[in-house]
């Protein structure tokens, strides 16, 4: 069975790609910049250049595929959450229907069970609905929690002020997950030959963590004192729009943080061995965060 992968150069898609290649698969990769995929191509993958929100392109790329991994790419200039996510979901639904793709795995999110009040996850709620309505024989909705990689956005404020700024109130904790663990699970789902039907797969990640604990762990790993500071939504919007993020997306991210804090967004099933993943934040800090901030420091000179 041939498996098609979107966003194969991203944090999650690259792991999916690597895992499939390790399993002996020769996947189809749909990417805006295939030059980043030369190693995978050398190992038997086929690459198509373009944006997988282009329905015609995705239809052509996935001819002959038996499974498809769908991940909406990150973007900071989003002006319409529903239009943005809907475009990628509709392209995937059309490709799956027209090409008879039997299994689609969508990277969704905790909170996608809610139609609104969940920030950008409202777009994933819509994406889920579009794919559900496409009558795909086997549809897996992968719902991980808060990415540990989100904390990498704190690198500039750590270097400038020794602080981590978020809108999360002190003491707020929630499950965090490493994207490499999401990619590994997505690959496992794609390689599952069984007839699955419609499945919602929640991924809690590692233990519940808050930004106070993140600051404490990073203080130890980076050998410098760090502090988490709670700011208002207005302050955060002003800061991130100043870095080029659209106001729509900035305000939706504040809404998402509020929804996580209130419990409006969260996991709906109890933690179990199946939805707990191996990477905890301390491991992430050592293996991912520290190299990233060291690279940022070197870039600064």
């Amino acid at each position: 069975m041939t498996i098609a992968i979107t966003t194969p150069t991203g944090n999650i898609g690259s792991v999916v790609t690597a895992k499939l290649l390790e399993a002996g698969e020769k996947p189809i990769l749909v990417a805006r910049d295939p030059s980043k995929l030369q190693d995978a191509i050398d190992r038997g993958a086929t690459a198509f250049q373009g944006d997988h929100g282009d329905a015609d392109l995705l239809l052509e790329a996935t001819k002959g595929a038996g499974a498809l991994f769908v991940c909406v790419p990150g973007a900071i200039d989003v002006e319409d959450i529903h239009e943005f996510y809907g475009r990628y979901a509709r392209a995937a639904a059309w490709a799956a229907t027209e090409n008879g793709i039997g299994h689609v795995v969508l990277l969704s999110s905790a909170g996608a069970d809610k139609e609104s009040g969940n920030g950008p996850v409202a777009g994933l709620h819509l994406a889920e609905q579009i794919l559900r309505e496409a009558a795909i024989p086997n549809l897996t909705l992968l719902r991980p929690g808060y990415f540990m990689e989100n904390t990498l956005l704190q690198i500039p404020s750590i270097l400038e002020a020794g602080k981590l700024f978020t809108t999360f109130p002190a003491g707020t904790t929630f499950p965090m997950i490493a994207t490499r663990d999401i990619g590994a699970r997505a690959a496992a789902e794609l390689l599952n030959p069984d007839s699955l039907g419609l499945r919602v797969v929640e991924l809690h990640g590692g233990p519940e963590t808050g930004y106070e604990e993140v600051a404490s762990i990073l203080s130890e790993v980076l050998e410098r004192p760090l502090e988490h500071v709670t700011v208002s939504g207005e302050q955060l919007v002003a800061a991130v729009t100043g870095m080029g993020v659209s106001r729509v997306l900035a305000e939706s991210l504040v809404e998402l943080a509020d929804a996580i804090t209130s419990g409006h967004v969260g996991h709906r099933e109890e933690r179990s061995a199946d939805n707990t993943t191996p990477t905890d934040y301390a491991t992430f800090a050592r293996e991912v965060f520290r190299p990233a901030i060291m690279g940022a420091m070197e870039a600064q000179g």
Side-chain angles (χ1 to χ4, degrees), residues 154 165-167 231-243 250 253-254 257:
Q154 300 291 333
F165 297 102
T166 79
T167 59
V231 298
S232 69
E234 292 81 2
Q235 288 174 306
L236 188 68
V237 168
V240 299
T241 53
M243 296 185 288
L253 292 173
V254 171

Side-chain angles (χ1 to χ4, degrees), residues 275-294:
N275 60 35
T276 297
T277 51
T279 307
D280 60 16
Y281 194 81
T283 301
F284 174 84
R286 292 191 303 270
E287 297 180 358
V288 180
F289 200 105
R290 189 174 190 280
I293 198 170
M294 292 302 173

Side-chain angles (χ1 to χ4, degrees), residues 15-182:
V15 175
V16 177
T17 301
K19 294 292 184 182
L20 295 185
L21 288 168
E22 289 170 9
E25 300 291 330
K26 296 181 179 180
I28 297 167
L29 310 177
V30 184
R32 293 172 181 171
D33 186 1
S35 67
K36 298 179 180 179
L37 298 168
Q38 192 58 52
D39 178 66
I41 294 169
D42 291 343
R43 296 170 65 185
T46 301
F48 282 80
Q49 182 173 12
D51 177 4
H52 64 278
D54 179 335
D56 291 332
L57 171 88
L58 191 62
L59 180 68
E60 179 64 27
T62 57
K63 285 181 178 178
L68 169 64
F69 174 65
V70 181
C71 177
V72 178
I76 65 171
D77 58 349
V78 176
E79 294 294 345
D80 186 322
I81 298 293
H82 289 90
E83 187 281 330
F84 181 74
Y85 283 86
R87 179 164 62 90
Y88 287 95
R90 290 187 183 93
W94 190 48
T97 301
E98 293 296 311
N99 289 332
I101 298 173
H103 187 192
V104 172
V105 176
L106 170 69
L107 178 64
S108 187
S109 172
D113 56 312
K114 305 293 186 182
E115 183 175 0
S116 61
N118 50 358
V121 180
L124 288 168
H125 174 85
L126 173 63
E128 287 192 3
Q129 299 311 305
I130 291 169
L131 288 168
R132 284 174 186 261
E133 293 168 5
I136 297 163
N138 303 303
L139 174 61
T140 302
L141 306 175
L142 203 58
R143 292 181 180 172
Y146 190 91
F147 293 178
M148 292 180 184
E149 276 76 3
N150 291 341
T151 65
L152 294 172
L153 300 175
Q154 300 291 333
I155 287 176
S157 62
I158 288 173
L159 294 178
E160 293 175 13
K163 301 183 190 306
L164 295 80
F165 297 102
T166 79
T167 59
F168 289 110
T172 304
T173 62
F174 42 88
M176 290 189 183
I177 187 167
T179 55
R180 65 190 185 189
D181 293 343
I182 302 170

